[in-house]
Amino acid sequence: MSSSRRNFIKKATAVGAATAFGFGYSHTANQMLKNVLLDDRPADPISGNAPKPEFSVDLKTGKLRLNPDQTVAYTMCMGCSTICGVRVRIDKKTQKVLRVTGNPYHVLSSEPFLPYETSVRDSFQALSRYQEKGLRSRSTACGRGNAVLDKLTNPDRVKVPLKRVGPRGSGMWAPISFEQLVEEVVEGGNLFSDGQFDVLRAIRDLKITLDP
Ligand code: SF4
């Protein structure tokens, strides 16, 4: 290959890589420009615009400081069939869920989990960096668990039962009432215009055991 042809390919590759980099990081670049030009800086250089923590622990003394604007509730995540225990941070004023995190008392989100008699105050300390306790008692929810708060507020969330009204895989759905849902799940029938479905009432049998 001639030297000029090699140089041309090198330059074209460099331009292509720079363009791909530019597209890939366009959001980041935009954000950086916004920060510099409009002085639109995040509230904190490390935690950005994340809500303030619900508590903090003095690393030297272990003294706990609670955030008076937030409360914490212990509940279960319905993000999937695992149903992990989670800890939910709530803004007291707006009653909005701010974050979903792991429940240190729950076997599915903390290993080892805290004994139930542990006070909530002690559980906060156990999650903190005080004496590096948080490394042992770290309690987490998965990414999906963190995102379940979208179920409360996302404008695209599903609020009513949806029934398929086109061929399987066509992505065609229509909202139906809960009464229709129960009726069809129990009684079956030609539900999707493509054949008979015998469902709950037809298969319910309290006399024959599955595994005699
Ligand atoms: S935290 Fe994750 S794994 Fe656990 S129930 Fe929620 S979605 Fe499922």
Side-chain angles (χ1 to χ4, degrees), residues 114-140:
L114 295 175
Y116 288 153
E117 55 272 20
T118 310
S119 70
V120 173
R121 282 179 172 270
D122 286 348
S123 80
F124 285 168
Q125 204 187 57
L127 291 169
S128 76
R129 276 200 56 211
Y130 176 61
Q131 297 175 349
E132 299 297 1
K133 289 184 179 204
L135 291 180
R136 198 173 53 246
S137 296
R138 182 178 299 156
S139 182
T140 54

Side-chain angles (χ1 to χ4, degrees), residues 120-173:
V120 173
R121 282 179 172 270
D122 286 348
S123 80
F124 285 168
Q125 204 187 57
L127 291 169
S128 76
R129 276 200 56 211
Y130 176 61
Q131 297 175 349
E132 299 297 1
K133 289 184 179 204
L135 291 180
R136 198 173 53 246
S137 296
R138 182 178 299 156
S139 182
T140 54
C142 75
R144 186 171 171 155
N146 277 278
V148 288
L149 61 94
D150 272 355
K151 283 189 175 179
L152 295 173
T153 54
N154 191 308
D156 295 328
R157 67 195 186 279
V158 176
K159 296 188 213 162
V160 294
L162 295 178
K163 179 178 176 181
R164 176 165 62 84
V165 291
R168 194 177 283 276
S170 65
M172 294 166 69
W173 305 90

Side-chain angles (χ1 to χ4, degrees), residues 77 79-80 82-84 141-142 144-145:
C77 173
C80 76
T82 310
I83 313 185
C84 302
C142 75
R144 186 171 171 155

Side-chain angles (χ1 to χ4, degrees), residues 180-188 197-203:
Q180 183 181 344
L181 170 74
V182 172
E183 168 81 13
E184 295 192 0
V185 167
V186 172
E187 303 297 347
F197 281 90
D198 288 333
V199 281
L200 287 188
R201 192 177 299 285
I203 62 173

Side-chain angles (χ1 to χ4, degrees), residues 54 72-80 82-90 97 99-110 127 139-149:
E54 69 278 39
V72 172
Y74 295 83
T75 181
M76 314 297 283
C77 173
M78 299 290 169
C80 76
T82 310
I83 313 185
C84 302
V86 285
R87 196 165 59 88
V88 176
R89 289 165 52 192
I90 300 161
V97 174
R99 283 280 190 278
V100 180
T101 60
N103 178 344
Y105 295 95
H106 198 272
V107 62
L108 290 180
S109 58
S110 196
L127 291 169
S139 182
T140 54
C142 75
R144 186 171 171 155
N146 277 278
V148 288
L149 61 94

